[in-house]
Amino acid sequence: MSAKKIYIIMFVVSVVGLGVVQYQYLRIGLSLARVQFNEKIGRAIQEVKNDLDRENELTFLMGKALTNDDTYFTLSLDSLRDAASHYYRDFLKDRLLVQGIKTDFTYVIYSRDSLLSLHSPGYVENGGDRLRYPVELTGYLPELTGKRMVTELQFRDINSYFLSQLNGLTIPGLIFIIAIVVVIVWVLKSLYRQHSIITTTNDFINNLTHELKTPVFSIGLATKMLLGKEKETENIRFLNIIKQQNERLKEHIDKVLQLATLEKKKKYIKPEETDLYPHLQKFAEDFKEMTAMEGVDFSYKLHGDRYPVRAEVPHLLNAVGNLLDNAKKYGKKDPVVFLEVYTEAEKLYISVEDNGMGISEKDRKKMFEKFFRGTTGDIHRVEGYGLGLNYVKRVVRSHKGKIRVDSEEGKGSCITIVIPLLKSDKTTHEKRRKHK
Protein backbone atom coordinates (compact mmCIF):
# COMPACT_ATOMS: atom_id res chain seq x y z
CA MET A 1 0.00 0.00 0.00
CA SER A 2 1.37 3.42 -0.96
CA ALA A 3 2.22 6.05 1.64
CA LYS A 4 -0.43 8.35 0.16
CA LYS A 5 -3.19 5.80 0.77
CA ILE A 6 -1.91 5.16 4.30
CA TYR A 7 -2.03 8.91 5.10
CA ILE A 8 -5.54 9.21 3.69
CA ILE A 9 -6.75 6.19 5.70
CA MET A 10 -5.16 7.57 8.88
CA PHE A 11 -6.75 10.94 8.21
CA VAL A 12 -10.22 9.47 7.66
CA VAL A 13 -9.94 7.19 10.71
CA SER A 14 -8.77 10.14 12.86
CA VAL A 15 -11.64 12.37 11.75
CA VAL A 16 -14.20 9.58 12.25
CA GLY A 17 -12.66 8.85 15.66
CA LEU A 18 -12.95 12.51 16.65
CA GLY A 19 -16.57 12.50 15.47
CA VAL A 20 -17.36 9.40 17.54
CA VAL A 21 -15.69 10.88 20.62
CA GLN A 22 -17.60 14.12 20.12
CA TYR A 23 -20.86 12.16 19.74
CA GLN A 24 -20.20 10.22 22.96
CA TYR A 25 -19.48 13.44 24.82
CA LEU A 26 -22.72 14.86 23.40
CA ARG A 27 -24.70 11.86 24.63
CA ILE A 28 -23.21 12.21 28.07
CA GLY A 29 -23.93 15.93 28.02
CA LEU A 30 -27.56 15.32 27.01
CA SER A 31 -27.97 12.78 29.80
CA LEU A 32 -26.59 15.21 32.34
CA ALA A 33 -28.77 18.00 30.95
CA ARG A 34 -31.86 15.79 31.27
CA VAL A 35 -30.99 14.93 34.88
CA GLN A 36 -30.49 18.62 35.73
CA PHE A 37 -33.70 19.53 33.93
CA ASN A 38 -35.71 16.96 35.90
CA GLU A 39 -34.26 18.28 39.14
CA LYS A 40 -35.21 21.86 38.22
CA ILE A 41 -38.71 20.82 37.12
CA GLY A 42 -39.16 18.93 40.39
CA ARG A 43 -38.37 22.02 42.42
CA ALA A 44 -40.56 24.25 40.21
CA ILE A 45 -43.55 21.86 40.44
CA GLN A 46 -43.19 21.67 44.22
CA GLU A 47 -43.38 25.48 44.40
CA VAL A 48 -46.42 25.44 42.10
CA LYS A 49 -48.11 22.83 44.29
CA ASN A 50 -47.42 24.84 47.46
CA ASP A 51 -48.79 28.06 45.91
CA LEU A 52 -51.95 26.33 44.68
CA ASP A 53 -52.51 24.70 48.05
CA ARG A 54 -54.02 27.84 49.60
CA GLU A 55 -56.59 30.38 48.59
CA ASN A 56 -55.27 33.46 46.83
CA GLU A 57 -56.21 35.62 43.85
CA LEU A 58 -54.91 33.07 41.33
CA THR A 59 -56.55 30.00 42.90
CA PHE A 60 -59.80 31.92 43.42
CA LEU A 61 -59.88 32.91 39.71
CA MET A 62 -58.96 29.37 38.58
CA GLY A 63 -61.60 27.85 40.88
CA LYS A 64 -64.33 30.00 39.38
CA ALA A 65 -63.15 29.17 35.84
CA LEU A 66 -63.04 25.41 36.60
CA THR A 67 -66.55 25.40 38.16
CA ASN A 68 -68.00 27.78 35.56
CA ASP A 69 -69.05 30.19 38.35
CA ASP A 70 -69.31 33.79 37.06
CA THR A 71 -71.12 35.12 40.13
CA TYR A 72 -68.37 37.58 41.11
CA PHE A 73 -67.46 38.68 37.60
CA THR A 74 -69.08 40.70 34.82
CA LEU A 75 -67.12 38.67 32.24
CA SER A 76 -68.53 35.88 30.14
CA LEU A 77 -67.48 32.33 31.04
CA ASP A 78 -65.22 32.14 27.98
CA SER A 79 -63.48 35.39 28.94
CA LEU A 80 -63.19 34.18 32.51
CA ARG A 81 -61.55 30.94 31.43
CA ASP A 82 -59.19 32.83 29.07
CA ALA A 83 -58.18 35.19 31.89
CA ALA A 84 -57.59 32.28 34.30
CA SER A 85 -55.59 30.42 31.65
CA HIS A 86 -53.47 33.52 30.92
CA TYR A 87 -52.65 34.24 34.57
CA TYR A 88 -51.91 30.59 35.32
CA ARG A 89 -49.49 30.46 32.39
CA ASP A 90 -47.67 33.58 33.61
CA PHE A 91 -47.54 32.04 37.08
CA LEU A 92 -46.01 28.79 35.76
CA LYS A 93 -43.56 30.68 33.52
CA ASP A 94 -42.35 32.71 36.50
CA ARG A 95 -41.79 29.59 38.63
CA LEU A 96 -39.84 27.91 35.79
CA LEU A 97 -37.66 31.00 35.23
CA VAL A 98 -36.77 31.02 38.91
CA GLN A 99 -35.24 27.56 38.33
CA GLY A 100 -33.46 28.69 35.16
CA ILE A 101 -35.82 26.95 32.68
CA LYS A 102 -36.40 29.03 29.55
CA THR A 103 -38.30 26.88 27.09
CA ASP A 104 -41.78 26.69 25.62
CA PHE A 105 -44.37 24.58 27.46
CA THR A 106 -48.07 23.79 27.63
CA TYR A 107 -50.15 22.89 30.66
CA VAL A 108 -53.48 21.47 31.79
CA ILE A 109 -55.31 21.34 35.12
CA TYR A 110 -58.09 18.79 35.37
CA SER A 111 -60.12 16.57 37.68
CA ARG A 112 -59.58 12.83 37.77
CA ASP A 113 -63.01 12.21 36.24
CA SER A 114 -62.08 14.67 33.44
CA LEU A 115 -65.28 16.67 33.99
CA LEU A 116 -63.40 19.82 34.95
CA SER A 117 -60.36 21.12 33.00
CA LEU A 118 -58.45 24.20 32.05
CA HIS A 119 -55.58 24.10 29.54
CA SER A 120 -53.34 26.31 27.44
CA PRO A 121 -53.44 26.58 23.64
CA GLY A 122 -51.36 23.88 21.99
CA TYR A 123 -51.94 21.32 24.72
CA VAL A 124 -52.12 17.76 23.33
CA GLU A 125 -53.80 15.09 25.40
CA ASN A 126 -51.59 12.00 25.79
CA GLY A 127 -48.87 13.57 23.63
CA GLY A 128 -46.54 10.62 23.14
CA ASP A 129 -43.63 12.71 21.84
CA ARG A 130 -43.75 15.19 24.70
CA LEU A 131 -42.12 15.23 28.10
CA ARG A 132 -44.92 15.23 30.74
CA TYR A 133 -44.76 16.16 34.42
CA PRO A 134 -48.13 15.56 36.23
CA VAL A 135 -48.65 16.39 39.93
CA GLU A 136 -51.73 15.91 42.13
CA LEU A 137 -52.90 19.05 43.89
CA THR A 138 -53.99 19.43 47.51
CA GLY A 139 -55.70 22.14 49.47
CA TYR A 140 -57.96 24.86 48.10
CA LEU A 141 -58.86 23.68 44.56
CA PRO A 142 -59.66 20.01 45.40
CA GLU A 143 -61.76 21.21 48.37
CA LEU A 144 -63.57 23.79 46.22
CA THR A 145 -64.41 21.37 43.42
CA GLY A 146 -64.87 18.32 45.62
CA LYS A 147 -62.72 16.35 43.19
CA ARG A 148 -59.15 15.10 42.92
CA MET A 149 -57.30 17.72 40.86
CA VAL A 150 -54.15 17.26 38.79
CA THR A 151 -51.98 19.81 36.98
CA GLU A 152 -49.56 18.72 34.25
CA LEU A 153 -46.72 20.45 32.39
CA GLN A 154 -45.76 19.37 28.87
CA PHE A 155 -42.55 20.17 26.98
CA ARG A 156 -42.10 19.55 23.28
CA ASP A 157 -38.87 19.46 21.24
CA ILE A 158 -36.99 19.17 24.51
CA ASN A 159 -33.83 17.81 22.81
CA SER A 160 -33.40 21.10 20.96
CA TYR A 161 -33.55 22.85 24.31
CA PHE A 162 -30.92 20.50 25.76
CA LEU A 163 -28.66 21.10 22.75
CA SER A 164 -29.00 24.84 23.18
CA GLN A 165 -27.85 24.40 26.77
CA LEU A 166 -24.82 22.44 25.51
CA ASN A 167 -23.66 25.02 22.97
CA GLY A 168 -20.56 25.56 25.08
CA LEU A 169 -19.67 21.92 24.43
CA THR A 170 -20.97 21.19 20.93
CA ILE A 171 -20.05 24.37 19.04
CA PRO A 172 -16.37 24.55 20.19
CA GLY A 173 -16.06 20.80 19.53
CA LEU A 174 -17.34 21.20 15.97
CA ILE A 175 -15.11 24.23 15.41
CA PHE A 176 -12.06 22.32 16.61
CA ILE A 177 -12.88 19.32 14.41
CA ILE A 178 -13.32 21.57 11.37
CA ALA A 179 -10.07 23.38 12.21
CA ILE A 180 -8.21 20.07 12.55
CA VAL A 181 -9.60 18.83 9.23
CA VAL A 182 -8.60 22.08 7.49
CA VAL A 183 -5.08 22.01 8.97
CA ILE A 184 -4.54 18.34 8.10
CA VAL A 185 -5.79 18.87 4.53
CA TRP A 186 -3.47 21.87 4.19
CA VAL A 187 -0.51 19.90 5.59
CA LEU A 188 -1.18 16.96 3.27
CA LYS A 189 -1.47 19.26 0.27
CA SER A 190 1.81 20.93 1.27
CA LEU A 191 3.49 17.53 1.64
CA TYR A 192 2.28 16.38 -1.76
CA ARG A 193 3.36 19.69 -3.31
CA GLN A 194 6.78 19.37 -1.69
CA HIS A 195 7.03 15.77 -2.85
CA SER A 196 6.24 16.92 -6.39
CA ILE A 197 8.97 19.58 -6.16
CA ILE A 198 11.48 17.03 -4.86
CA THR A 199 10.57 14.63 -7.65
CA THR A 200 11.01 17.37 -10.25
CA THR A 201 14.35 18.35 -8.69
CA ASN A 202 15.57 14.76 -8.72
CA ASP A 203 14.53 14.38 -12.34
CA PHE A 204 16.46 17.54 -13.17
CA ILE A 205 19.56 16.31 -11.31
CA ASN A 206 19.33 12.90 -12.96
CA ASN A 207 18.99 14.42 -16.44
CA LEU A 208 21.80 16.89 -15.78
CA THR A 209 24.21 14.27 -14.46
CA HIS A 210 23.44 11.96 -17.36
CA GLU A 211 24.22 14.80 -19.75
CA LEU A 212 27.53 15.43 -17.93
CA LYS A 213 28.66 11.85 -18.46
CA THR A 214 29.34 12.40 -22.16
CA PRO A 215 31.81 15.32 -21.82
CA VAL A 216 33.46 13.60 -18.84
CA PHE A 217 33.99 10.48 -20.92
CA SER A 218 35.38 12.58 -23.78
CA ILE A 219 37.79 14.41 -21.46
CA GLY A 220 38.97 11.09 -20.02
CA LEU A 221 39.53 9.60 -23.45
CA ALA A 222 41.41 12.67 -24.69
CA THR A 223 43.59 12.68 -21.58
CA LYS A 224 44.54 9.03 -22.06
CA MET A 225 45.46 9.73 -25.68
CA LEU A 226 47.62 12.71 -24.71
CA LEU A 227 49.35 10.73 -21.95
CA GLY A 228 50.30 8.10 -24.52
CA LYS A 229 52.00 10.70 -26.75
CA GLU A 230 53.37 13.24 -24.25
CA LYS A 231 57.11 13.09 -23.46
CA GLU A 232 57.55 16.16 -21.23
CA THR A 233 57.56 15.24 -17.53
CA GLU A 234 55.91 18.50 -16.43
CA ASN A 235 53.09 18.11 -18.96
CA ILE A 236 52.59 14.49 -17.92
CA ARG A 237 52.18 15.66 -14.32
CA PHE A 238 49.45 18.11 -15.35
CA LEU A 239 47.76 15.50 -17.53
CA ASN A 240 47.74 13.09 -14.59
CA ILE A 241 46.05 15.76 -12.48
CA ILE A 242 43.44 16.26 -15.22
CA LYS A 243 42.92 12.49 -15.44
CA GLN A 244 42.67 12.18 -11.66
CA GLN A 245 40.17 15.01 -11.30
CA ASN A 246 38.16 13.73 -14.28
CA GLU A 247 37.89 10.33 -12.57
CA ARG A 248 36.82 12.08 -9.41
CA LEU A 249 34.18 14.05 -11.33
CA LYS A 250 32.92 10.83 -12.91
CA GLU A 251 32.69 9.29 -9.45
CA HIS A 252 30.79 12.34 -8.19
CA ILE A 253 28.28 12.04 -11.03
CA ASP A 254 27.65 8.36 -10.28
CA LYS A 255 27.18 9.07 -6.59
CA VAL A 256 24.81 11.99 -7.23
CA LEU A 257 22.68 9.67 -9.36
CA GLN A 258 22.59 7.22 -6.47
CA LEU A 259 22.00 9.92 -3.86
CA ALA A 260 18.92 11.20 -5.69
CA THR A 261 17.30 7.84 -5.01
CA LEU A 262 17.58 8.47 -1.26
CA GLU A 263 14.46 10.63 -1.63
CA LYS A 264 12.68 7.39 -2.54
CA LYS A 265 13.96 5.65 0.62
CA LYS A 266 16.32 3.36 -1.29
CA LYS A 267 19.56 2.52 0.53
CA TYR A 268 22.35 3.24 -1.91
CA ILE A 269 24.75 4.15 0.89
CA LYS A 270 25.90 0.79 2.24
CA PRO A 271 28.66 1.22 4.83
CA GLU A 272 31.29 -1.50 5.12
CA GLU A 273 34.06 -2.09 7.65
CA THR A 274 37.21 -0.37 6.45
CA ASP A 275 40.28 1.57 7.55
CA LEU A 276 39.64 5.13 6.47
CA TYR A 277 43.20 6.34 7.17
CA PRO A 278 44.81 5.51 3.79
CA HIS A 279 41.81 6.85 1.90
CA LEU A 280 41.90 10.16 3.78
CA GLN A 281 45.67 10.42 3.38
CA LYS A 282 45.51 9.88 -0.39
CA PHE A 283 42.56 12.28 -0.66
CA ALA A 284 44.40 14.99 1.34
CA GLU A 285 47.55 14.59 -0.79
CA ASP A 286 45.54 14.93 -4.01
CA PHE A 287 43.71 17.97 -2.70
CA LYS A 288 46.98 19.59 -1.62
CA GLU A 289 48.51 19.07 -5.08
CA MET A 290 45.43 20.53 -6.77
CA THR A 291 45.13 23.58 -4.47
CA ALA A 292 48.83 24.36 -4.82
CA MET A 293 48.13 25.47 -8.39
CA GLU A 294 45.26 27.70 -7.18
CA GLY A 295 47.27 29.61 -4.61
CA VAL A 296 45.43 28.09 -1.64
CA ASP A 297 47.40 27.50 1.58
CA PHE A 298 46.20 23.98 2.39
CA SER A 299 47.66 21.74 5.06
CA TYR A 300 46.51 18.66 6.87
CA LYS A 301 47.29 16.53 9.90
CA LEU A 302 46.13 12.93 10.38
CA HIS A 303 46.75 11.86 13.98
CA GLY A 304 47.38 8.17 14.57
CA ASP A 305 47.69 5.54 11.86
CA ARG A 306 44.34 3.70 11.71
CA TYR A 307 40.70 4.83 11.47
CA PRO A 308 38.54 1.66 11.58
CA VAL A 309 34.93 2.61 10.74
CA ARG A 310 31.83 1.37 8.99
CA ALA A 311 31.59 3.62 5.96
CA GLU A 312 31.05 3.87 2.25
CA VAL A 313 34.33 5.50 1.41
CA PRO A 314 33.43 7.38 -1.83
CA HIS A 315 30.41 9.09 -0.26
CA LEU A 316 32.27 9.99 2.93
CA LEU A 317 35.23 11.37 0.99
CA ASN A 318 32.81 13.35 -1.17
CA ALA A 319 31.33 14.87 2.00
CA VAL A 320 34.82 15.85 3.21
CA GLY A 321 35.58 17.20 -0.26
CA ASN A 322 32.47 19.38 -0.11
CA LEU A 323 33.61 20.92 3.16
CA LEU A 324 37.12 21.51 1.77
CA ASP A 325 35.75 23.07 -1.43
CA ASN A 326 33.52 25.38 0.62
CA ALA A 327 36.43 26.37 2.86
CA LYS A 328 38.48 27.16 -0.25
CA LYS A 329 35.73 29.01 -2.16
CA TYR A 330 34.38 31.09 0.72
CA GLY A 331 37.76 31.96 2.19
CA LYS A 332 39.43 35.34 2.15
CA LYS A 333 41.61 36.68 -0.67
CA ASP A 334 44.44 34.39 0.46
CA PRO A 335 42.50 31.33 1.68
CA VAL A 336 43.99 29.14 4.37
CA VAL A 337 42.44 25.69 4.82
CA PHE A 338 43.41 23.08 7.39
CA LEU A 339 42.20 19.48 7.55
CA GLU A 340 42.68 17.65 10.84
CA VAL A 341 41.62 14.09 11.63
CA TYR A 342 41.86 12.50 15.06
CA THR A 343 40.15 9.94 17.29
CA GLU A 344 38.73 10.50 20.73
CA ALA A 345 36.29 8.57 22.94
CA GLU A 346 35.58 5.88 20.33
CA LYS A 347 34.74 8.47 17.68
CA LEU A 348 36.48 9.75 14.57
CA TYR A 349 36.66 13.51 14.12
CA ILE A 350 37.22 14.99 10.66
CA SER A 351 37.66 18.75 11.05
CA VAL A 352 37.90 21.37 8.28
CA GLU A 353 39.02 24.83 9.36
CA ASP A 354 39.30 28.00 7.27
CA ASN A 355 40.04 31.70 7.60
CA GLY A 356 36.90 32.78 5.74
CA MET A 357 34.13 35.23 6.51
CA GLY A 358 32.48 33.00 9.12
CA ILE A 359 28.84 32.01 9.45
CA SER A 360 26.21 34.01 11.33
CA GLU A 361 24.16 32.35 14.05
CA LYS A 362 21.02 32.78 11.91
CA ASP A 363 22.60 31.03 8.92
CA ARG A 364 24.05 28.23 11.06
CA LYS A 365 20.51 27.07 11.82
CA LYS A 366 19.66 26.69 8.12
CA MET A 367 22.99 26.00 6.42
CA PHE A 368 22.30 22.27 5.96
CA GLU A 369 18.85 22.77 4.42
CA LYS A 370 18.37 21.93 0.77
CA PHE A 371 18.89 24.89 -1.63
CA PHE A 372 19.81 27.26 1.23
CA ARG A 373 22.64 29.70 0.62
CA GLY A 374 23.91 32.08 3.26
CA THR A 375 23.59 35.82 2.91
CA THR A 376 26.52 37.03 5.01
CA GLY A 377 28.90 39.26 3.11
CA ASP A 378 29.52 38.85 -0.60
CA ILE A 379 28.73 35.14 -0.53
CA HIS A 380 26.90 35.15 -3.85
CA ARG A 381 30.10 35.95 -5.69
CA VAL A 382 30.52 32.16 -5.63
CA GLU A 383 28.16 30.17 -7.80
CA GLY A 384 26.24 27.30 -6.27
CA TYR A 385 22.86 25.69 -5.74
CA GLY A 386 22.80 25.10 -2.00
CA LEU A 387 23.03 21.30 -2.35
CA GLY A 388 26.53 20.56 -1.05
CA LEU A 389 25.97 20.89 2.69
CA ASN A 390 22.62 19.13 2.47
CA TYR A 391 24.48 16.27 0.77
CA VAL A 392 27.07 16.28 3.59
CA LYS A 393 24.30 16.12 6.19
CA ARG A 394 22.64 13.15 4.49
CA VAL A 395 25.89 11.24 4.15
CA VAL A 396 26.91 11.85 7.78
CA ARG A 397 23.49 10.79 9.06
CA SER A 398 23.66 7.61 7.00
CA HIS A 399 26.93 6.85 8.84
CA LYS A 400 25.20 7.42 12.23
CA GLY A 401 27.27 10.52 12.77
CA LYS A 402 26.74 14.20 13.43
CA ILE A 403 28.13 17.55 12.32
CA ARG A 404 29.49 20.22 14.64
CA VAL A 405 29.83 23.84 13.48
CA ASP A 406 32.04 26.38 15.26
CA SER A 407 32.14 29.76 13.62
CA GLU A 408 32.43 33.45 14.31
CA GLU A 409 31.68 36.13 11.75
CA GLY A 410 34.86 37.58 10.31
CA LYS A 411 37.10 34.95 11.95
CA GLY A 412 36.50 31.82 9.90
CA SER A 413 34.77 28.52 10.54
CA CYS A 414 35.52 25.02 11.74
CA ILE A 415 33.14 22.26 10.65
CA THR A 416 33.65 18.82 12.16
CA ILE A 417 32.23 15.48 11.05
CA VAL A 418 31.93 13.01 13.91
CA ILE A 419 31.34 9.32 13.19
CA PRO A 420 31.66 6.30 15.48
CA LEU A 421 34.70 4.04 15.34
CA LEU A 422 34.36 0.27 15.32
CA LYS A 423 33.99 -0.63 18.98
CA SER A 424 35.70 -3.99 18.61
CA ASP A 425 38.92 -2.39 17.36
CA LYS A 426 41.68 -1.54 19.85
CA THR A 427 42.84 1.66 18.23
CA THR A 428 45.47 3.75 19.94
CA HIS A 429 43.96 7.22 20.23
CA GLU A 430 46.35 10.10 19.70
CA LYS A 431 45.42 13.27 21.50
CA ARG A 432 44.56 16.11 19.15
CA ARG A 433 47.13 18.85 18.72
CA LYS A 434 45.31 22.07 17.92
CA HIS A 435 46.41 23.70 14.65
CA LYS A 436 47.69 27.19 15.01
Side-chain angles (χ1 to χ4, degrees):
M1 185 179 294
S2 65
K4 181 177 180 180
K5 290 183 179 179
I6 293 175
Y7 290 145
I8 292 175
I9 291 173
M10 290 177 62
F11 169 67
V12 172
V13 170
S14 299
V15 172
V16 172
L18 285 173
V20 171
V21 171
Q22 180 68 15
Y23 174 72
Q24 294 299 329
Y25 275 123
L26 184 59
R27 286 186 59 189
I28 294 172
L30 287 174
S31 298
L32 291 175
R34 186 179 292 273
V35 170
Q36 292 178 349
F37 184 79
N38 288 335
E39 291 177 353
K40 292 177 180 180
I41 285 292
R43 291 194 294 268
I45 288 179
Q46 187 60 45
E47 291 183 8
V48 169
K49 183 177 180 180
N50 292 338
D51 288 338
L52 296 182
D53 183 69
R54 60 185 180 275
E55 181 180 0
N56 50 46
E57 293 180 355
L58 176 62
T59 55
F60 179 79
L61 179 62
M62 291 177 62
K64 296 302 181 182
L66 287 168
T67 58
N68 296 320
D69 183 3
D70 60 354
T71 304
Y72 296 94
F73 301 95
T74 58
L75 301 173
S76 64
L77 285 176
D78 288 339
S79 298
L80 177 62
R81 292 176 66 86
D82 288 342
S85 177
H86 175 76
Y87 286 122
Y88 187 48
R89 177 177 177 80
D90 288 345
F91 166 73
L92 292 174
K93 184 177 181 180
D94 178 72
R95 293 300 180 267
L96 292 175
L97 287 175
V98 169
Q99 298 300 325
I101 300 174
K102 302 176 182 179
T103 185
D104 193 26
F105 67 93
T106 57
Y107 71 87
V108 64
I109 182 169
Y110 61 92
S111 61
R112 285 293 187 182
D113 57 10
S114 299
L115 295 176
L116 305 177
S117 68
L118 185 68
H119 59 79
S120 64
Y123 170 75
V124 178
E125 188 175 357
N126 298 324
D129 60 339
R130 299 192 178 191
L131 203 57
R132 304 168 62 189
Y133 293 92
V135 59
E136 187 169 347
L137 301 178
T138 58
Y140 177 76
L141 288 177
E143 293 173 1
L144 176 66
T145 60
K147 300 179 182 295
R148 296 175 61 188
M149 301 296 297
V150 175
T151 188
E152 179 182 299
L153 293 178
Q154 286 187 359
F155 297 88
R156 60 182 177 181
D157 201 17
I158 197 64
N159 285 331
S160 298
Y161 171 73
F162 290 156
L163 287 173
S164 68
Q165 299 299 301
L166 296 174
N167 280 343
L169 176 65
T170 57
I171 293 179
L174 291 174
I175 292 175
F176 289 144
I177 289 177
I178 293 172
I180 290 171
V181 170
V182 170
V183 169
I184 291 177
V185 169
W186 178 78
V187 169
L188 289 177
K189 286 181 67 176
S190 299
L191 287 175
Y192 293 144
R193 191 181 302 114
Q194 185 178 19
H195 178 74
S196 177
I197 293 173
I198 291 173
T199 301
T200 303
T201 303
N202 287 339
D203 290 341
F204 168 75
I205 293 173
N206 288 337
N207 292 333
L208 179 62
T209 48
H210 278 297
E211 290 296 327
L212 288 174
K213 279 190 170 186
T214 299
V216 166
F217 175 77
S218 300
I219 293 171
L221 182 61
T223 304
K224 287 181 181 180
M225 293 174 65
L226 288 174
L227 279 171
K229 298 178 180 180
E230 187 60 51
K231 304 299 182 182
E232 293 290 335
T233 304
E234 187 69 15
N235 290 341
I236 290 176
R237 186 170 73 89
F238 290 140
L239 286 172
N240 280 327
I241 291 175
I242 294 172
K243 178 184 176 183
Q244 182 185 82
Q245 295 304 313
N246 188 69
E247 289 295 325
R248 185 182 173 200
L249 179 58
K250 180 177 179 297
E251 193 173 78
H252 281 337
I253 291 172
D254 291 337
K255 290 302 178 182
V256 168
L257 286 172
Q258 292 181 5
L259 188 65
T261 61
L262 290 176
E263 302 288 352
K264 301 178 181 178
K265 309 297 183 182
K266 294 182 180 179
K267 295 183 178 179
Y268 275 89
I269 294 183
K270 299 178 181 179
E272 297 178 352
E273 294 186 8
T274 185
D275 181 8
L276 197 60
Y277 182 89
H279 300 287
L280 282 172
Q281 187 176 44
K282 178 67 166 56
F283 183 82
E285 291 173 356
D286 293 342
F287 191 80
K288 184 175 180 65
E289 186 174 1
M290 181 179 67
T291 54
M293 296 183 293
E294 300 177 357
V296 177
D297 182 3
F298 172 72
S299 59
Y300 67 93
K301 175 62 178 177
L302 275 61
H303 301 280
D305 56 5
R306 294 187 70 242
Y307 303 144
V309 293
R310 283 187 58 83
E312 182 169 311
V313 176
H315 269 310
L316 194 54
L317 292 182
N318 283 346
V320 176
N322 267 288
L323 296 182
L324 289 172
D325 286 338
N326 280 349
K328 178 183 66 174
K329 290 189 297 184
Y330 299 120
K332 294 182 178 179
K333 185 177 180 180
D334 298 314
V336 178
V337 181
F338 177 59
L339 170 67
E340 185 176 20
V341 186
Y342 61 97
T343 59
E344 187 178 291
E346 303 298 333
K347 295 183 184 299
L348 176 65
Y349 293 79
I350 305 173
S351 177
V352 176
E353 189 174 351
D354 64 60
N355 67 335
M357 65 189 69
I359 307 169
S360 68
E361 183 178 355
K362 179 181 177 181
D363 285 348
R364 285 201 297 272
K365 296 177 180 178
K366 299 180 179 180
M367 60 186 290
F368 294 102
E369 294 180 5
K370 202 170 187 179
F371 304 118
F372 176 78
R373 299 192 69 213
T375 55
T376 303
D378 188 21
I379 196 168
H380 291 296
R381 61 186 170 83
V382 181
E383 295 182 358
Y385 299 99
L387 295 172
L389 289 178
N390 180 261
Y391 169 83
V392 173
K393 178 182 178 181
R394 286 179 176 274
V395 170
V396 173
R397 280 189 173 179
S398 69
H399 287 79
K400 299 181 180 179
K402 60 182 180 180
I403 304 175
R404 189 173 66 199
V405 180
D406 299 304
S407 182
E408 187 175 348
E409 288 187 77
K411 295 185 178 181
S413 305
C414 181
I415 301 179
T416 304
I417 294 174
V418 184
I419 60 174
L421 292 167
L422 290 177
K423 294 183 179 179
S424 60
D425 192 274
K426 297 181 180 178
T427 305
T428 301
H429 301 308
E430 181 178 343
K431 187 176 181 181
R432 180 190 184 192
R433 293 192 295 271
K434 179 65 179 175
H435 173 69
K436 297 294 185 182

